[in-house]
Amino acid sequence: MIESVGEEEELRFSYRIDDKDFMEKLKKAKISVKNYNKLYALVNRLKLNDFTIKD
């Protein structure tokens, strides 16, 4: 999935995960796979080691 296509802040991420155990953990935490992957892509792009809700 691509968000903000063609813009400087373009972000690419998947809406799928093949790891069933990890999917269950996300489900228990009430986090969608899409949102997790979107956050993961953003954290990688910003080269962060960690982040908080305030970030």
Side-chain angles (χ1 to χ4, degrees):
M1 180 165 263
I2 303 173
E3 188 171 281
S4 302
V5 175
E7 295 182 21
E8 185 176 320
E9 296 180 5
E10 181 177 285
L11 189 62
R12 294 175 181 256
F13 56 95
S14 175
Y15 62 94
R16 295 186 58 168
I17 291 180
D18 293 327
D19 185 332
K20 301 265 186 211
D21 292 330
F22 191 63
M23 284 175 51
E24 282 300 315
K25 289 178 183 179
L26 289 175
K27 186 176 179 180
K28 286 181 184 177
K30 299 185 191 264
I31 300 171
S32 73
V33 171
K34 178 184 170 187
N35 282 337
Y36 171 80
N37 284 335
K38 185 176 179 179
L39 283 171
Y40 186 82
L42 183 60
V43 167
N44 282 335
R45 185 177 76 197
L46 296 175
K47 298 178 180 154
L48 299 174
N49 292 324
D50 54 27
F51 69 98
T52 67
I53 194 71
K54 292 180 183 180
D55 293 333

